[in-house]
Amino acid sequence: MCGIIGINSYKPVSATIIDSLKKLEYRGYDSAGIATLSSGLINEVKSEGRVDILEKNSLVKDMEGTIGIGHVRWATHGLPNSINAHPHSSQNVSVVHNGIIENSTLLKKFLVGKGHKFKSQTDTEVIVHLITENLKSDNIVNSIKKTLKSLHGSFALGVLFKDQPDLIVGARRGSPLAVGYGPNENYLGSDSYALKSMTNKITYLNDGEFCVIKKTHVEFFDEEGKKINKKVLELSSEDQKYDKGDYKHFMAKEIEEQPTTIKNGINEYLDTANNDINIYNFPWKTKDISSITLIGCGTAYHSCLMSKYWFEQLTSLDVSVDIASEFRYRKNRFKKETLYIFVSQSGETADTYAALDLCKKNGMKTCAVVNVIESSISRDSDFVLPIHCGTEIGVASTKAFLGQILILYILTLKLGLLRKDISEKAFLEKLKDLKNLPNLVKQTLQTDNKIQNISNTFNEAKGSMFLGRGFSYPIALEGALKLKELSYIHAEGYPAGEMKHGPLALIEEGMPVVVLAPRDNYYKKTISNMQEVIARGAKVLLITNKSKDEIFSENIWETIEVESTNEDLLPFLLTIPLQKLAYYSALKKGYDIDKPRNLAKSVTVE
Ligand code: F6R
């Protein structure tokens, strides 16, 4: 997954392209590049690493041209170096690409046979040479049409032509692409976020479509090269100026913003005057839904798993949870009484989108729980429940996770009430507790010093384990994911009761093990499992909630107590020390917290 930008203007574009690339870094940051057209030549500058490095390149500073394309890369084919960085250019054509060309080996063989010379290890370079080849006998529109038909896989493309000083081509299949409109200039971007500082007038390309961007207007075509009309959408015009403020990292800021995330969700969905939950325009009758399937990837998958425990506890719905990359290729039994819920911060994750697409093609009911409301998953779902946590920049998801589980919990309560699975009294009690959640999150955030010291032990360890049962199990998975992605420490999340079936063999003297044992229904069982790992030499960090009852276990290394509330809501609070543990481990190791190695914020390849 990568980020694309294109600008066709009457004024120099290189500085604006660089600024937009910085906004797109959440899609990939292992290399970056820019190409502009000036004096009838394609100028290309590329570098390994962040956009900052590209910006400092003196060749970029001197770059002329009022038309250009730029790219940030997350490597799929070939090492992340400056040769494999995009744009890739022939004498006539320059291309930026997001996605994967699955038949690139075959196409390369064919093109080499025709005398084309390849410079990089990427799949993208075949597109450059195919267009160059097709241009020998066709005009721009036909050669693009022909090229796109030869490509298998997914892509969003931006193309610049040496002989066309007023034209950028954009094309989409599987990966998102947006067109933006400005005064005497027009733009191409992987998403509207990258274009927001330039325009709020956007058109999204659908799969199979391509466009020709001129300074004064944009033409759209379907896959047969037939001209089509597209709607111009007007997005909210405020440019989300989201900066780190006084924080060292976006992640630190985003962790601290979580009371606001919860408040925003509550303000949006709770009718405090009438003590009710409002889910406006929910398009289905509850009697038409007998089961729910939740689908997501990574942290969003953990949100799905978390809500399975709530849905099962508080409703009589059948609930299943799936990892999107597994779901999309399985033989699924689609049932019309099932509501499919897609959870995604970015709303652009390729696997989650493909799972949504599959459900839509099978006529299913689809609902998205997303943060980015202009995203593909949001636009293409029947119904959207936005999480309203604001921009999340840190690659490791924090506030979006709490936002996702909040909305899923609110939906659970509402469906439970409507289906009469929970009594009105229980519903009202839970609503009362929920209203106090922002305060509890705020108080739980104040446990810093202890976690900073604890993180040293994790940093010295070979590996670690995160254990929990019931409501705490998905949180254990999430805690382990945060630690591994930020600190590069091996961390495994496990159901505490499963340890004796194999993983207990991993425990050795001094191994740090996080045990999530809030005072819920599972408490006693989890404490027994904790004793089993302590007996084998583990250094246990127990995370529980405050209580007047003593903890009956010896040799616990460290204990963190979060605030107390009803057991449904404890997962929100247990998450916070785990986010901080991962943050401080990475901080002490000096790692790049907001952009961990090998990752990207929006995963738009499968
Ligand atoms: C981990 C993380 C990822 C994302 C996953 C799905 O901290 O952020 O695991 O949760 O890539 O992304 P979205 O939610 O954008 O679909």
Side-chain angles (χ1 to χ4, degrees), residues 39-200:
S39 315
L41 287 176
I42 295 171
N43 316 301
E44 180 192 277
V45 186
K46 314 195 278 191
S47 65
E48 189 179 331
R50 304 284 157 83
V51 178
D52 279 351
I53 299 174
L54 178 72
E55 188 178 26
K56 285 182 193 133
N57 190 317
S58 56
L59 294 173
V60 170
K61 288 198 181 99
D62 299 337
M63 230 169 172
E64 290 180 350
T66 58
I67 180 166
I69 51 178
H71 189 265
V72 284
R73 179 168 186 248
W74 184 85
T76 58
H77 288 60
L79 293 172
N81 57 29
S82 59
I83 296 174
N84 291 331
H86 301 210
H88 292 281
S89 310
S90 67
Q91 290 245 311
N92 304 322
V93 173
S94 187
V95 172
V96 286
H97 167 218
N98 169 23
I100 295 179
I101 306 303
E102 287 164 357
N103 57 340
S104 62
T105 314
L106 266 180
L107 290 172
K108 186 169 176 180
K109 222 174 184 176
F110 160 77
L111 289 159
V112 168
K114 292 254 174 201
H116 291 264
K117 300 248 180 316
F118 283 74
K119 294 177 249 177
S120 75
Q121 300 162 306
T122 64
D123 51 342
T124 305
E125 216 181 334
V126 298
I127 308 171
V128 177
H129 293 287
L130 257 185
I131 300 175
T132 309
E133 185 63 28
N134 290 333
L135 276 172
K136 287 179 186 165
S137 52
D138 268 314
N139 64 18
I140 302 268
V141 168
N142 284 339
S143 57
I144 291 294
K145 181 182 95 182
K146 209 163 150 188
T147 302
L148 300 184
K149 283 194 185 278
S150 311
L151 302 176
H152 297 174
S154 68
F155 51 78
L157 300 177
V159 191
L160 199 62
F161 300 82
K162 174 173 132 329
D163 299 327
Q164 301 289 335
D166 181 23
L167 188 153
I168 295 174
V169 163
R172 170 190 170 160
R173 189 197 296 157
S175 300
L177 199 61
V179 166
Y181 307 87
N184 279 322
E185 56 180 27
N186 290 312
Y187 325 100
L188 185 69
S190 291
D191 55 35
S192 55
Y193 175 65
L195 304 180
K196 240 176 178 168
S197 59
M198 300 181 276
T199 184
N200 67 335

Side-chain angles (χ1 to χ4, degrees), residues 297-300 343-347 349 395-397 404 481-482 485 603:
C297 301
T299 289
V343 181
S344 174
Q345 186 284 129
S346 62
T349 301
V395 163
S397 194
Q404 288 160 356
L481 176 61
K482 288 289 96 94
E485 70 176 323
V603 185

Side-chain angles (χ1 to χ4, degrees), residues 528-563:
S528 302
N529 297 139
M530 179 179 76
Q531 279 153 351
E532 288 157 13
V533 293
I534 291 177
R536 282 151 184 92
K539 259 181 135 170
V540 164
L541 164 61
L542 169 67
I543 305 185
T544 184
N545 57 313
K546 289 180 180 161
S547 163
K548 55 182 180 351
D549 299 328
E550 216 183 304
I551 300 159
F552 289 108
S553 178
E554 287 183 346
N555 300 324
I556 298 170
W557 167 54
E558 284 286 4
T559 303
I560 290 177
E561 290 180 323
V562 300
E563 296 303 310

Side-chain angles (χ1 to χ4, degrees), residues 201-251:
K201 292 190 176 58
I202 299 285
T203 297
Y204 293 103
L205 269 78
N206 289 329
D207 271 352
E209 294 173 354
F210 62 100
C211 62
V212 167
I213 300 177
K214 307 231 172 147
K215 279 180 196 49
T216 52
H217 66 284
V218 182
E219 292 168 354
F220 294 92
F221 301 86
D222 68 9
E223 53 198 334
E224 296 310 324
K226 209 173 107 219
K227 265 199 188 171
I228 51 173
N229 291 321
K230 302 270 302 172
K231 267 198 205 142
V232 179
L233 308 172
E234 213 154 303
L235 306 179
S236 106
S237 56
E238 92 213 44
D239 183 18
Q240 294 179 6
K241 280 212 167 49
Y242 189 69
D243 58 35
K244 285 202 280 262
D246 292 335
Y247 291 89
K248 265 196 180 149
H249 301 99
F250 280 107
M251 186 186 176

Side-chain angles (χ1 to χ4, degrees), residues 276-312:
D276 201 358
I277 289 173
N278 282 330
I279 297 186
Y280 293 110
N281 303 324
F282 190 69
W284 307 285
K285 295 201 172 76
T286 38
K287 71 172 177 41
D288 294 337
I289 300 169
S290 65
S291 61
I292 290 190
T293 295
L294 296 121
I295 298 170
C297 301
T299 289
Y301 167 71
H302 296 157
S303 302
C304 298
L305 200 57
M306 184 66 247
S307 71
K308 177 181 164 74
Y309 283 82
W310 288 324
F311 275 120
E312 284 178 349

Side-chain angles (χ1 to χ4, degrees), residues 283-284 340-343 347 352-353 356-357 360 364-370 375-385:
W284 307 285
Y340 287 84
I341 301 182
F342 301 87
V343 181
T352 311
Y353 185 83
L356 163 68
D357 196 42
K360 288 192 65 160
M364 295 297 104
K365 305 177 178 68
T366 59
C367 169
V369 174
V370 290
S375 62
S376 307
I377 291 174
S378 175
R379 279 182 281 124
D380 292 349
S381 297
D382 297 333
F383 184 62
V384 184
L385 292 168

